Amino acid sequence: MRPIRDDHPVRPARVLGIALAVLLLLAGVVVLAVVPRLGGSGGELTTVRALVGSEKRSFLNDPDVTKALADAGYRLEVDVAGSRDIATNRDLTGYDLVFPANTPQADRIRRDHGVARSSMPFSSPMAIATFRPIADLLTRAGVVRAEGGTSYFDMRAYLDLVAAGTRWSDLPGADAVYRTDRSVLIGSTDVRTSNSAALYLALVSYVANGDEVVTDARTADRMADLAAGLFLRQGYLDATTAEPFDDFLSIGMGKAPLVMIYEAQFLERVRAADGSITPDMRLLYPTPTIYARHTVVPLTDAGNAVGTLLTTDPELTRLAVRHGFRPSDPAAAGAEREARTSSAATGPAELVDVVEPPSQEISERMIDRIEARYEEGAG
């Protein structure tokens, strides 16, 4: 028997078929790299590295959020930092997305890194965590008022108390409930690193500037000088919002009678019904108040896909509501209202006395001037 030989000429059609198969295979690889999978197929998950503000850590580490992202084909690795630190000081090499707590910081990151895309999955107004005896003291002092089941904190009346050098012991009835000569001050994070402190500064500068957003350098310097004492007089301050809120929950009003937080931090604990929010704890809404608009800046296509999911996926939106956030998608507003009516401490579904922060440049100018005051004190 003659051996079978494969020495026939290779036909052009065969060459074309092989080349087409190779091209299709390569095209498939390119598609996977450029357009990350948006639906789970049982294959390997795409790992997405994220640098986020601390206030979103519990949401992004929620096992249900992990599952929802895995169903869509993604595994999220989360690092945490202060939102201003993310925007100004962090090397973002190796991250697929960053998730600061506000739009001006996101805009700076986009500008510095040449990114055109962004998405805003949810927001949270600023609020003040306190305790019933403190709220009662401030009600008698004309700083807190109740309206429609919500307690509001008058920022102008508060700044008047600070300007007068008022101490807790000066307030009528303080001897019976809060005996301390400490100054009446809202506890905050470090304005040099944290977005919540930057938003606190934005509120203070707005009110002190005659209810006008600061827009020029001279006014910014004057407002920074006025506000510097609100931070320096507190002593050591944490870099992220998670720590002072944890102190509020665990240590109580002895250390933290008033703490500037995100509304979501408080409501997340209420909705978890884990006992961390006691009957004596209260949530106050500053008037005016300001929103933290949590914004995803994608640095890769996979990061963009996850940012889109966080903004549009119904399950992830439901979970964001469970963690206290207010979703940006108008279609999810009903779920957010339902969550408010079913929990003990809800807050208003809508806030009307809301201001915008100054531009990132003006905000940075005020913060840099306060930072110089810190350096003067250390010198």
Side-chain angles (χ1 to χ4, degrees):
M1 178 181 294
R2 296 175 60 188
I4 298 175
R5 298 177 59 190
D6 192 17
D7 54 1
H8 297 290
V10 178
R11 299 178 186 274
R14 183 180 178 190
V15 173
L16 182 60
I18 294 172
L20 182 59
V22 171
L23 286 172
L24 287 173
L25 178 61
L26 291 175
V29 171
V30 170
V31 168
L32 285 175
V34 176
V35 185
R37 178 162 53 96
L38 291 178
S41 63
E44 184 178 351
L45 301 180
T46 299
T47 297
V48 175
R49 292 194 64 211
L51 182 61
V52 310
S54 65
E55 68 288 334
K56 294 180 285 286
R57 175 171 47 196
S58 60
F59 164 65
L60 294 173
N61 287 334
D62 185 328
D64 291 335
V65 171
T66 300
K67 181 182 183 304
L69 289 172
D71 288 344
Y74 298 97
R75 176 177 58 247
L76 202 60
E77 292 183 354
V78 176
D79 292 331
V80 172
S83 289
R84 183 173 182 267
D85 194 27
I86 294 173
T88 59
N89 300 321
R90 287 297 182 117
D91 180 4
L92 303 182
T93 303
Y95 288 105
D96 296 286
L97 68 85
V98 292
F99 201 174
N102 216 355
T103 306
Q105 291 146 352
D107 287 344
R108 173 169 179 165
I109 295 166
R110 290 173 58 202
R111 184 187 67 235
D112 291 349
H113 294 268
V115 177
R117 302 173 294 191
S118 66
S119 54
M120 190 184 75
F122 42 71
S123 63
S124 178
M126 299 308 297
I128 299 168
T130 190
F131 298 85
R132 181 188 53 76
I134 300 298
D136 290 346
L137 282 178
L138 293 175
T139 298
R140 287 193 288 270
V143 177
V144 172
R145 62 180 173 83
E147 183 179 307
T150 299
S151 294
Y152 294 97
F153 183 97
D154 188 325
M155 288 296 295
R156 180 169 296 283
Y158 161 68
L159 291 179
D160 287 344
L161 288 183
V162 173
T166 307
R167 299 181 179 275
W168 289 104
S169 56
D170 296 328
L171 298 180
D175 286 346
V177 295
Y178 195 59
R179 297 181 181 179
T180 177
D181 285 332
R182 291 165 55 192
S183 297
V184 175
L185 287 173
I186 297 173
S188 74
T189 46
D190 193 328
V191 74
R192 296 168 292 179
T193 60
S194 171
N195 178 69
S196 64
L199 291 178
Y200 177 31
L201 172 60
L203 280 181
V204 169
S205 66
Y206 176 88
V207 173
N209 192 40
D211 292 342
E212 296 285 348
V213 176
V214 177
T215 58
D216 64 279
R218 179 176 295 182
T219 304
D221 291 346
R222 183 164 53 87
M223 293 299 103
D225 291 341
L226 182 148
L230 298 175
F231 299 99
L232 276 83
R233 289 167 60 194
Q234 293 183 64
Y236 173 79
L237 297 175
D238 293 302
T240 68
T241 316
E243 291 91 349
F245 185 58
D246 287 343
D247 286 346
F248 168 82
L249 295 175
S250 60
I251 300 175
M253 68 181 183
K255 178 182 180 182
L258 295 169
V259 182
M260 184 68 70
I261 64 169
Y262 299 107
E263 175 198 49
Q265 291 176 280
F266 197 96
L267 295 188
E268 175 185 46
R269 296 302 186 98
V270 171
R271 292 170 187 172
D274 59 5
S276 59
I277 301 298
T278 67
D280 250 10
M281 292 177 177
R282 297 288 186 270
L283 192 62
L284 311 177
Y285 289 84
T287 53
T289 192
I290 194 167
Y291 271 80
R293 295 181 171 92
H294 301 274
T295 305
V296 173
V297 179
L299 304 177
T300 66
D301 290 307
N304 185 59
V306 169
T308 301
L309 282 168
L310 291 170
T311 306
T312 61
D313 181 81
E315 175 63 7
L316 288 169
T317 297
R318 183 187 69 81
L319 293 170
V321 169
R322 189 171 79 184
H323 282 266
F325 295 106
R326 298 180 180 225
S328 301
D329 181 5
E336 214 278 332
R337 283 194 297 269
E338 182 179 348
R340 289 181 179 275
T341 57
S342 63
S343 58
T346 62
E350 294 183 11
L351 293 163
V352 294
D353 194 2
V354 178
V355 303
E356 292 298 322
S359 69
Q360 185 67 12
E361 291 74 21
I362 291 294
S363 179
E364 289 298 322
R365 185 180 182 94
M366 290 192 290
I367 293 170
D368 287 344
R369 194 169 177 92
I370 293 172
E371 185 170 23
R373 291 282 301 276
Y374 272 99
E375 293 171 356
E376 290 170 9

